[in-house]
Amino acid sequence: MERPGPTEGAETSGPDPQLAVTMGFTGFGKKARTFDLEAMFEQTRRTAVERSRKTLEAREKEEEMNREKELRRQNEDIEPTSSGSNVVRDCSKSSSSDTSSSGSEESSDSSDDELIGPPLPPTMAEEPVDRMEQAIGRLPPPLHEEEEDGDDDDDDGGDSEEEENPVQKIPDSHEITLKHGTKTVSALGLDPSGARLVTGGYDYDVKFWDFAGMDASFKAFRSLQPCECHQIKSLQYSNTGDMILVVSGSSQAKVIDRDGFEVMECIKGDQYIVDMANTKGHTAMLHTGSWHPKIKGEFMTCSNDATVRTWEVENPKKQKSVFKPRTMQGKKVIPTTCTYSRDGNLIAAACQNGSIQIWDRNLTVHPKFHYKQAHDPGTDTSCVAFSYDGTVLASRGGDDTLKLWDIRQFNKPLFSASGLPTMFPMTDCCFSPDDKLIVTGTSVQRGCGSGKLVFFERRTFQRVYEIDITDASVVRCLWHPKLNQIMVGTGNGLAKVYYDPNKSQRGAKLCVVKTQRKAKQAETLTQDYIITPHALPMFREPRQRSTRKQLEKDRLDPLKSHKPEPPVAGPGRGGRVGTHGGTLSSYIVKNIALDKTDDSNPREAILRHAKAAEDNPYWVSPAYSKTQPKAMFAQVESDDEEAKNEPEWKKRKI
């Protein structure tokens, strides 16, 4: 028998069985199965759509059945009016037609096509459902419903008119005054919740104000000097409200907690290094600082060393990054103010040459936007602030102007307003919570008018409103979005809070309703009690009791409650003789006639009594009469007597 060839065997008998045994599995040599992924995805999508449609139809049927049950129940309980019954009947018919049509057709629009006649008004169709859900009671007629809708439309029109006029949203009907000191309030900070206000000034003090804990006396609960003898330039709460960034005239910024205790202090850099990027910190006076709006513990500062540096609270020994503003020629330029954008991705700084430079936070080499003549060169731009939508930047210049910029087209200002005098390097500006107004302050010379808070409309940049603050400059302004209250720092040491009882929330409204606490007289008479637990009982002071009980006990004591006798006036009374009579002659004798002042030579006045003291010693000599030896003095002879008593040999010799 002949062995078949390989081609002939493959055609008749299929795969070689020995090969399958060798490989360890059967089916070797069969064609692999292919899958169409697009077809599988399409089938899955159709299945999901079909299930969703069925679920939605079942839910709609269940809702329609519930509505019909509620309508029947209301019709049984309440006897509707003719118009109301027509409405309910029409609605029930429409609902039943909708139910029948939803089962037959896929789209719900076909139910409206099956209705005979014009469609029902939306108010008549929705009114029974709303009444059913709210369970108010009897169904009103359609005309009444239309009147209510008309009133609602009028109210909506009034609201739209109020929204169109942002001046009406300014909370300036009431104000309170916080006395910080006698010098300029150069820094203001309010925590995100609006519970605490912190103020700083040229008197080096930082004061804490708690709205919930204050009464009508408006006194700060804590005052400290975190930077010793440096003026406070900027104060800002972190985005979590647990830390405060303190920027002063020194080269080292500080971070303190809500109670004023120091958390960290930035390191000072080496002023002998030329490249400021190689130092670990600032080497010159600071201008301002700002927290990152999103990242906790990150902040930045700008300084006279021509750098803007970002820091982390956990690493005070070295800055995180360094931004070096430069002119168009590549020379150093000092930044006077800096801030983060609302999303924290951009850093903006205004410089002494009048330029505004904006960097990407992650790219420190070249600025993303650079406008070289934003303000007059040589003037200190005191503030740059981003709007809440993050597309507009406002700059307050030292050239008495306020300008608005669109960072998407940073080639020219959108608007510019002049005639806003400023004399402080920290005069700032801010946006209203709805982004429709821009606020800034003006400065005045002492005795030459009053400082004003000026409001500009963002859309047209018109000067729409002004508030006369006080007879001094307006330095700081802050509009809190949650409280809807405006805080103002002035040049005469005052911090004012403007609010509206109807438009504002919490804040100053919490403390104005509290009466001023009067100091009790008993509290002024209390003595300090020294606690000595290890002293002997005989030396231990008695335990201090309450002041009121102690006063009641002292009142019963005849010695402690005895009133001192007043001095006797006149001739005398009660057995006491007056010091002098009550007549004019006695008064003259006491005050004029008995005046024994001696204007003579004091030596002669003493020697006048020398002979009487020698003849009748009374004070000193009798005390030493028994112990003092008898004085023996040598006699002093005159010149004539000496000549007489001179020996003869001397006379001859002469």
Side-chain angles (χ1 to χ4, degrees), residues 306-341:
T307 60
V308 177
R309 300 175 189 262
T310 60
W311 305 80
E312 289 181 344
V313 177
E314 293 79 9
N315 186 17
K317 298 300 182 183
K318 187 178 181 180
Q319 76 273 348
K320 184 178 180 181
S321 58
V322 181
F323 300 86
K324 296 185 289 185
R326 292 290 186 266
T327 62
M328 300 302 291
Q329 293 77 23
K331 297 181 180 179
K332 290 183 179 180
V333 61
I334 296 176
T336 57
T337 183
C338 59
T339 186
Y340 281 101
S341 61

Side-chain angles (χ1 to χ4, degrees), residues 50-66:
E50 184 68 20
R51 288 183 180 179
S52 300
R53 188 179 62 81
K54 291 182 179 180
T55 304
L56 183 60
E57 289 179 356
R59 188 178 301 171
E60 289 178 353
K61 290 181 180 180
E62 185 178 358
E63 290 179 356
E64 292 295 337
M65 294 175 63
N66 293 333

